[in-house]
Every structure is written in structure tokens, then in C-alpha cells.
């Protein structure tokens, strides 16, 4: 990852996450954190993205900025693992709590909602 791509990921908080199940794509906008070369996304157990990832961990996500004449973006392909508890869960939750008002407004306990940890294996960017 180039320094400009790393800065771009770290300076944004919304992406579109694509999952797939039975050859049907599912894309949703989500908040994320970029931390230690991974993307972290919170979810609930009953969401389509969570159910899809349980069956197929392959994902694609897009972070982009659109302004005529100044388009920037990054596409990442990789795999998601589920973080439900433990030291890593607590570490990521603390980062989410500090970073996002919506987490502070409606906090949850360990075991109530998992995180997705996304490690990417390929990328494509433009304008960065």
C-alpha cells in the first residue's frame, strides 16, 4: 500500500462493502476503521453481510471521494474474519467507541455484536 493510499484509508470512515452468497452480490455502505493494515467494520449477527461472510469470507470494498475533476478511490479485495470476543475485540471496540459518536450513543457489550476484520490481498486505486 502506498503512503497516499494509507492516508486516504485513514482519513475516511465510510465504504461500500460487497459480499456474495450463491453467486448473488450484496453491497452496503458501512462505517469502518483502518487499523494495523486491516479494515474493521461492526455489524449485527442478523445482517445479510454477516450471514454471507459466514458462508463465504471473500469480500470487496470501495472507498472513494467524488468531486468533478478530483476523483479519488481505492478498491480492496480480501477476506473477512469475524472477531466476537477477547482482547482483540476489546481493543477494536475501544477504537470504535472513541472514533464514532453513534457507538457512544448506543454502546454494546462484548458478545452482542461482532466486528469484521478484513485483510486485503489485492487493490486498485485512482487519483491517489
Amino acid at each position: 500500500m502506498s503512503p497516499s493510499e494509507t492516508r486516504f484509508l485513514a482519513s475516511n470512515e465510510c465504504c461500500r462493502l460487497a459480499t456474495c452468497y450463491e453467486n448473488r452480490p450484496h453491497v452496503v455502505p458501512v462505517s469502518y476503521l483502518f487499523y494495523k493494515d486491516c479494515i474493521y467494520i461492526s455489524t449485527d449477527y442478523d445482517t445479510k453481510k454477516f450471514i454471507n461472510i459466514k458462508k463465504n469470507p471473500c469480500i470487496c470494498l470501495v472507498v472513494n471521494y467524488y468531486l468533478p475533476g478530483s476523483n479519488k478511490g481505492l478498491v480492496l479485495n480480501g477476506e473477512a474474519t469475524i472477531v466476537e470476543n477477547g482482547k482483540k475485540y476489546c481493543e477494536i471496540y475501544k477504537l470504535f467507541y472513541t472514533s464514532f459518536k453513534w457507538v457512544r450513543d448506543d454502546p454494546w457489550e462484548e458478545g452482542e455484536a461482532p466486528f469484521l476484520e478484513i485483510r486485503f490481498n489485492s487493490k486498485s486505486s485512482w487519483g491517489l
Side-chain angles (χ1 to χ4, degrees):
M1 180 100 44
S2 74
S4 62
E5 290 168 336
T6 299
R7 282 191 303 276
F8 184 72
L9 275 180
S11 68
N12 284 284
E13 64 181 45
C14 182
C15 70
R16 264 75 60 217
L17 174 68
T19 60
C20 191
Y21 178 65
E22 294 183 356
N23 294 323
R24 299 196 67 153
H26 176 70
V27 179
V28 292
V30 293
S31 295
Y32 75 90
L33 283 176
F34 180 59
Y35 179 66
K36 293 186 177 178
D37 294 327
C38 291
I39 298 285
Y40 289 93
I41 296 168
S42 69
T43 189
D44 287 316
Y45 285 104
D46 62 350
T47 63
K48 183 112 176 129
K49 65 183 165 291
F50 181 80
I51 293 165
N52 287 351
I53 285 170
K54 290 273 291 186
K55 295 175 182 176
N56 178 353
C58 296
I59 63 86
C60 182
L61 64 83
V62 176
V63 180
N64 74 304
Y65 173 78
Y66 179 81
L67 185 63
S70 182
N71 299 319
K72 298 176 183 179
L74 185 60
V75 175
L76 301 171
N77 290 287
E79 290 193 8
T81 56
I82 298 165
V83 180
E84 297 180 85
N85 51 45
K87 184 179 177 182
K88 183 184 279 187
Y89 181 92
C90 293
E91 179 181 6
I92 300 307
Y93 182 83
K94 185 176 179 180
L95 291 170
F96 265 74
Y97 189 87
T98 302
S99 299
F100 298 118
K101 183 180 182 313
W102 57 267
V103 177
R104 294 187 300 276
D105 288 347
D106 190 17
W108 63 88
E109 298 291 324
E110 185 174 355
E112 287 185 63
F115 290 104
L116 305 176
E117 178 183 72
I118 298 170
R119 295 186 181 275
F120 36 92
N121 50 37
S122 67
K123 66 173 178 72
S124 176
S125 66
W126 60 95
L128 298 172

